[in-house]
Amino acid sequence: MIASMLALLLSVAGQAGASQAAAPQAVPPVPGELGRQPLPAQGCAAYLWNVSDRKLVAMAGADPALVRLVLGGKAIDLARASESGLGGFGFAARTAYRNSDVAVTLDMTVQTQAELTDGGAVPQGTLTVERGGTDAVVIPVAGLIGCAPAR
């Protein structure tokens, strides 16, 4: 009797383990490396890299207001949903971008520097990426802002 109960428990446990192993695991939305990006035709763009490995992870445009990043090996553009605070060069201190599946919040400090013409610096910031059903990923970023030359 104990042997048959043990066999039954092991059978149920094996089935539960198999069904848990087969369930898809939600993968946190970690941005991949964004390739080289051109200067904007008008307005300014912030080129942001991950401070831990110095790889370009996002480009935020002031006009049009969007952020570009790589998720799941594919480059995506997200439109600005809201903004708050003063930044500079057409950017806010905090900007939220989203589509139906992904939400990105960019918090950044913008500085002008005498040695930088047609742009500025982002000495510190964070890029928060959220995808439905997964954990949020917060990445410390820094970067440069490049602007189209005035005509």
Side-chain angles (χ1 to χ4, degrees):
M1 170 109 165
I2 292 176
S4 62
M5 290 286 278
L6 185 57
L8 178 62
L9 285 173
L10 289 174
S11 172
V12 170
Q15 290 172 357
S19 65
Q20 287 175 353
Q25 297 293 320
V27 178
V30 178
E33 185 174 5
L34 186 63
R36 187 181 181 118
Q37 300 294 303
L39 279 172
Q42 63 183 23
C44 300
Y47 301 88
L48 304 166
W49 56 81
N50 183 329
V51 296
S52 68
D53 62 12
R54 309 295 269 177
K55 291 182 180 176
L56 184 67
V57 292
M59 180 191 76
D63 182 19
L66 60 81
V67 68
R68 175 174 296 148
L69 64 156
V70 174
L71 290 178
K74 181 179 174 187
I76 61 169
D77 291 342
L78 302 172
R80 180 178 63 206
S82 65
E83 63 182 343
S84 63
L86 297 175
F89 298 98
F91 294 100
R94 170 174 269 211
T95 308
Y97 306 88
R98 66 179 35 94
N99 66 15
S100 61
D101 186 42
V102 179
V104 172
T105 303
L106 175 59
D107 292 290
M108 64 180 178
T109 302
V110 176
Q111 293 181 342
T112 57
Q113 295 182 353
E115 63 275 7
L116 294 176
T117 58
D118 295 325
V122 178
Q124 64 184 20
T126 58
L127 184 71
T128 304
V129 183
E130 300 174 78
R131 177 175 265 165
T134 65
D135 293 331
V137 175
V138 180
I139 300 164
V141 295
L144 293 172
I145 295 174
C147 301
R151 295 178 186 176

